[in-house]
């Protein structure tokens, strides 16, 4: 089973405009139309069984609607192949209640994006969310490193991630983009080997014209040093092609067992199949 743990879709009414805006800001082409239909077509081409949607709340008022949509997505995941984490904004006043509601509705985690939410990851508002989420058994996915469309300042560096790990003691943190996009030296020095998950989204050099991505040699070394048990396949679709990303990993020097863990087995265990995933 292949599970993509890092994807995005946009509402149909604004998808075309949103994809064009983000493509222009990052100077990269989208690999699908940015809607659920485009993601499902991509999954079919790539042989991906499930994709996890990671909604990002850029304001407090978006949180409730996004979380209701996450619950609805999980309820029909067996038919659609689309799962979803919830979302929360660092300024959410009733964050404990929101997180408890997600846990009660079998949503397995949340997404934080410090750059889009304008808050450093080791800010107390972020740390208290991570802490409460962990207490409830929820995973937290956080954007790590530079955001190609919002390069300055970097709100989640490996050093800030280490501080969050130390301050909260969480064992349920997933740092996207292999721990910190293009900050590979810091990732290897500070994060590799710690009790934290890393996802492969928008990190591997299967994208033409994008500099600073990981080559197969360095990626393999990082996986081996960190442990394949804590690496999750992710693409950042629509910004990376699912088929190309999967094939790239399959053509590394990792063992068959390591590839199987990364491409789906780790995600199966993490998600717990509590979101009606059986198809």
């Amino acid at each position: 089973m292949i599970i993509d743990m890092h994807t995005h879709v946009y509402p149909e009414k604004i998808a075309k405009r949103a994809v064009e805006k983000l493509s222009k800001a990052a100077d990269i082409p989208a690999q699908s139309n940015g809607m659920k239909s485009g993601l499902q077509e991509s999954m079919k081409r790539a042989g991906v069984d499930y994709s996890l949607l990671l909604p990002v709340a850029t304001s407090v008022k978006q949180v409730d609607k996004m979380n209701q949509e996450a619950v609805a997505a999980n309820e029909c995941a067996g038919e659609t192949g689309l799962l979803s984490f919830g979302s929360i904004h660092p300024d959410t006043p009733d964050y404990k209640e929101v997180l408890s509601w997600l846990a009660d509705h079998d949503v397995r985690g949340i997404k934080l994006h410090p750059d889009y939410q304008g808050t450093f990851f080791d800010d107390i508002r972020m740390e208290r969310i991570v802490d409460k989420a962990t207490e409830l058994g929820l995973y937290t996915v956080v954007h790590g490193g530079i955001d190609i469309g919002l390069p300055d300042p970097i709100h989640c560096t490996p050093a800030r991630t280490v501080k969050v790990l130390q301050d909260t003691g969480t064992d349920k943190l997933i740092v996207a983009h292999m721990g910190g996009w293009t900050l590979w030296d810091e990732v290897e020095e500070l994060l590799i080997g710690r009790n934290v998950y890393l996802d492969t989204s928008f990190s591997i050099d299967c994208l033409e014209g994008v500099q600073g991505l990981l080559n197969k040699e360095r990626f393999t070394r990082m996986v081996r040093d960190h442990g394949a048990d804590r690496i999750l396949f992710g693409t950042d679709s629509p910004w990376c092609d699912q088929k190309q990303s999967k094939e790239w990993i399959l053509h590394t020097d990792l063992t068959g067992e390591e590839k199987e863990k990364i491409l789906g087995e780790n995600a199966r265990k993490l998600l717990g199949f509590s979101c009606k995933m059986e198809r």
Side-chain angles (χ1 to χ4, degrees):
M1 179 176 287
I2 309 297
I3 302 175
D4 186 341
M5 287 288 290
H6 191 133
T7 68
H8 303 283
V9 296
Y10 308 96
E12 291 188 15
K13 289 183 179 180
I14 66 166
K16 186 175 186 294
R17 185 168 69 253
V19 167
E20 288 176 351
K21 180 180 178 180
L22 292 168
S23 293
K24 183 177 180 180
D27 194 26
I28 55 171
Q31 303 298 314
S32 82
N33 62 14
M35 294 185 286
K36 290 181 179 179
S37 61
L39 177 55
Q40 289 170 316
E41 290 170 7
S42 171
M43 291 166 63
K44 186 175 181 179
R45 289 194 304 270
V48 171
D49 297 283
Y50 292 95
S51 289
L52 179 69
L53 308 177
L54 297 177
V56 176
T58 56
S59 70
V60 173
K61 65 182 181 181
Q62 295 174 335
V63 170
D64 287 345
K65 183 178 180 181
M66 285 184 168
N67 289 339
Q68 291 166 7
E69 290 174 348
V71 171
N74 291 334
E75 288 177 345
C76 58
E79 292 78 43
T80 66
L82 303 180
L83 294 152
S84 185
F85 272 8
S87 187
I88 195 161
H89 190 276
D91 291 330
T92 303
D94 56 342
Y95 71 95
K96 291 182 180 180
E97 289 77 10
V98 171
L99 294 172
S100 295
W101 186 88
L102 289 171
D104 289 343
H105 286 79
D106 290 330
V107 178
R108 294 287 290 174
I110 55 170
K111 171 68 185 291
L112 295 172
H113 198 310
D115 294 305
Y116 279 97
Q117 295 174 326
T119 309
F120 289 103
F121 188 42
D122 55 352
D123 185 285
I124 186 60
R125 291 170 293 169
M126 290 285 196
E127 288 196 340
R128 68 188 185 185
I129 288 171
V130 173
D131 192 49
K132 183 62 179 180
T134 303
E135 177 188 321
L136 292 167
L138 302 177
Y139 288 86
T140 299
V141 179
V142 63
H143 173 96
I146 297 171
D147 185 287
I148 194 170
L150 295 169
D152 259 337
I154 307 170
H155 286 85
C156 182
T157 62
R160 292 186 187 278
T161 299
V162 169
K163 186 173 185 298
V164 172
L165 289 169
Q166 293 172 336
D167 290 349
T168 67
T170 183
D171 59 353
K172 290 179 169 54
L173 182 63
I174 303 167
V175 187
H177 316 301
M178 285 300 289
W181 194 70
T182 74
L183 305 178
W184 311 128
D185 289 344
E186 294 174 50
V187 171
E188 289 199 83
E189 178 185 355
L190 299 175
L191 286 185
I192 292 297
R194 290 184 181 272
N195 189 17
V196 61
Y197 290 92
L198 309 178
D199 83 30
T200 67
S201 62
F202 208 89
S203 300
I204 55 180
D205 66 353
C206 60
L207 279 168
E208 293 185 10
V210 179
Q211 303 299 313
L213 299 171
L214 293 168
N215 60 32
K216 289 185 173 70
E217 181 181 0
R218 189 166 196 180
F219 174 78
T220 299
R221 182 179 76 231
M222 290 171 71
V223 170
R224 292 262 168 83
D225 289 346
H226 193 62
D229 290 339
R230 290 176 292 180
I231 305 293
L232 301 165
F233 175 59
T235 64
D236 212 8
S237 179
W239 308 113
C240 284
D241 182 78
Q242 289 182 310
K243 184 176 182 180
Q244 288 181 349
S245 298
K246 184 188 80 171
E247 293 296 326
W248 190 94
I249 290 173
L250 288 174
H251 285 88
T252 64
D253 290 333
L254 294 168
T255 67
E257 182 181 7
E258 288 170 327
K259 293 171 186 175
E260 184 177 341
K261 288 179 178 180
I262 293 168
L263 290 172
E265 188 58 28
N266 294 337
R268 279 176 60 98
K269 293 177 181 177
L270 186 151
L271 292 170
F273 278 71
S274 64
C275 299
K276 301 183 181 178
M277 289 176 63
E278 295 82 354
R279 302 179 75 182

